[in-house]
Amino acid sequence: MSAMIAVRNLERTYVTGEFEVHALRGVSFDIQRGEFVAIMGPSGSGKSTLMNLIGCLDTPTAGSYHLDGLPVELLDPMLLAAVRNRKIGFVFQQFHLLARNTALENVALPLAYRGGIPAAERLERAAAALERVGLADRMEHRPHELSGGQQQRVAIARALVNNPALLLADEPTGALDTHTSAEIMALFNALNRDGVTVVLITHEPDVARHARRLLEIRDGLLVRDLPVERWDSSPRGPTRPRSRRLPVRSQWRSAL
Amino acid sequence: MTTSEQSYPKPADVSVAAAPEPIDAELAAALNELEGGGIGWGETARFAFATLRANPLRTLLTALGVLIGVAAVVALLAIGRGSQESITASITANGANLLTIRSGATNTPGGIRGAVGGAQNLTIADAEALANPEAAPNVALVSPEYMGNAQLVAGANNLNARVTGATANYAAVHNSSLAEGEFISDEHVRTTANVAVLGANVAETLFPDQSAVGQQLRVNGQSFSVIGVLESSGGTGFGSVDDGIIVPLSTAQRKLFGARSLRGSLTMQTVVVQARSAEAVDGALAEVQAVLRAEHRLPSDGSEDDFSVINQQDILETVTETTRMLTLFLAAIAAISLLVGGIGIMNIMLVSVRERTREIGLRKALGAREGDILRQFLFESLALSGVGGLVGLLIGTVIALTLDVTGLFTASLSWDAVLLAFGFALTVGLFFGIAPARSAARLDPIVALRYE
């Protein structure tokens, strides 16, 4: 079985006015089915760019990205939307739930865009997903009636409802307190044990520690790729880039 | 829409150096499978209506512009059509398919023209010639009419009224019906009888508290018996006979007014001819001209007629055309307010797209395609104009019916006007919905998700 995610020499260059910003400068790695990977890096390191590419929200300038065997860099926007719908479950820092809809309706939303599933079955599958994240008793609640942790659970259920190849979480605990964060991370762990492939993007070492493998990005390059248990013993990598800092970086930052 | 050839290259086109797998038939099948599916129309419409329900006040205010526009168009078209029908009805109330022949102007050798009718050169003989079915097969009925004014006296009441000398054909030609009594008969005309049929208003004025039939009245000092009273034709419409009386033609010519004689036959101002049908009117007109020119011994060299013929259908067409133009003019003004309503929809939809940027970003991240977002927002603007249009139809109908009931206007609703107004409202919603829907569909999900 080939890798769930196969990234080769991935580059992404933004053109902002007269500057070319090299956000990703050639990154390669594989992620196997069932892994739990944290992608770490400080802000401006290119990890958000990498997340957008892995999430099929963006297409690379150069290099290749295969998700579950699909050559993503070759797909047109319509197919990318279908790939996002069926292969990827997004979890965002800001939850991004529709305020007017109940938890159940929010979770069922991706199934509507998939098409061909009767409404009753959509709600049934949404209810099953909510049970999986421990919210069986909150299905008819609207987001404002739920705590932050519960809202994020609803978002995770929404990400799971299409049985995606990949659960892609972007700072999922960024808006939560420490205790709730631990609960959410425990949930990710439990889902991963059940076989869900999880990719977590974060800048917090405490959060990244819950993963089993760590990818560290700096200045658009992969600087470390190691199991989490070897993280503390390994040389801590440059806290300040030694030679990689490019003049363009300050321009990019000011452009942002 | 992209075809499968366009959406991903064939194996030969792929140049991915480190691709773990080449594109093969299995992958092509997977991509085809991905292309299928997608959100249905019903679900898209449900999303759109859910948004509109979530903000009822805004929905109402936005739809109001279209609502008022549609209501105005429907009401004005109904009133225009109603007016047209009532005018047409009042013209044809005096008989259908009529040709009114009047004496021509006097032509003197000096070239001085008198007024139309001044010559009084229509005679009984002319009328009899027109009634000959061999000479004028398209003519059904001929009603020679002598007009004059006379002082009517009955007891203490008197009034000056129009006196029409007529034959028995008058009632059939002019669709007159009697409220009571009987009409002038051929016998009355032959015997120059002093009998009169009264218009409804005249009967009311002269004999206010009693039945007029059988009573006596004096016309220019001569005594007449009332043999009938006409039914009111309603109001003072075009050519109303409510304010006049009808006497036998011979009585008017000989006893009351002393008509001139020409070629040994008494004259009158008017002969009304009824054609056999609406299609026969043109034929009857030609026959009337031919018969009268022969009767009047006019040369067939294209010289002017010494009579004039007014075609009722010409009048009808003119009136119809005039009211139609007026109606369209009013409806066009109302349609402008519909257009303004459309701009209101566009404005609100643009605001809505801005407000819901993050929602749009989320929907795209969850797998909504550009077309899905486009359709959702188009549905919203269509629903706004559609709901506004439907309520507008209802209100416009109520306005039209209310005006009709109160008698201020005659209103007549028609399906084509209703469909026109509603169709125009939907078109406006669609047209002004395109720009906001496109801007929503084209949002970059990455930017949209971060939008604050």
Side-chain angles (χ1 to χ4, degrees), chain A residues 8 52 64 70-71 73 76 78-79 81-86 90 92 96 98 100 109 112-115 122 158, chain B residues 1-2 7 16 18 27 33-36 38-39 43 47 54 359 362-369 446 449:
Chain A
R8 294 290 176 278
N52 290 336
S64 77
L70 295 169
E73 76 279 3
D76 71 1
M78 253 183 76
L79 281 169
V83 170
R84 288 197 296 271
N85 182 248
R86 302 183 197 187
F90 284 99
F92 303 98
H96 286 311
L98 299 184
R100 295 184 305 269
L109 189 59
Y113 285 112
R114 182 168 191 144
R122 290 203 296 264
R158 181 180 62 193
Chain B
M1 221 33 64
T2 49
S7 41
V16 186
L27 178 56
E33 198 266 326
L34 277 179
E35 267 201 335
I39 189 168
E43 200 66 17
F47 282 149
E359 177 193 326
L362 172 78
R363 284 178 185 274
K364 285 193 135 184
L366 295 184
R369 303 167 190 188
I446 300 170
L449 279 168

Side-chain angles (χ1 to χ4, degrees), chain A residues 36 91 93 95 147-150 152-153 156 169 171-190 200 202 204-211:
Chain A
F36 188 169
V91 179
Q93 179 176 4
F95 320 142
S147 71
Q150 287 170 332
Q152 193 60 299
R153 279 168 192 270
I156 292 169
E171 303 278 10
T173 58
L176 301 174
D177 61 51
T178 321
H179 177 69
T180 317
S181 294
E183 282 179 8
I184 293 294
M185 291 318 298
L187 176 60
F188 277 123
N189 263 311
L200 184 73
T202 183
E204 287 180 64
D206 286 346
V207 173
R209 223 177 285 276
H210 286 86

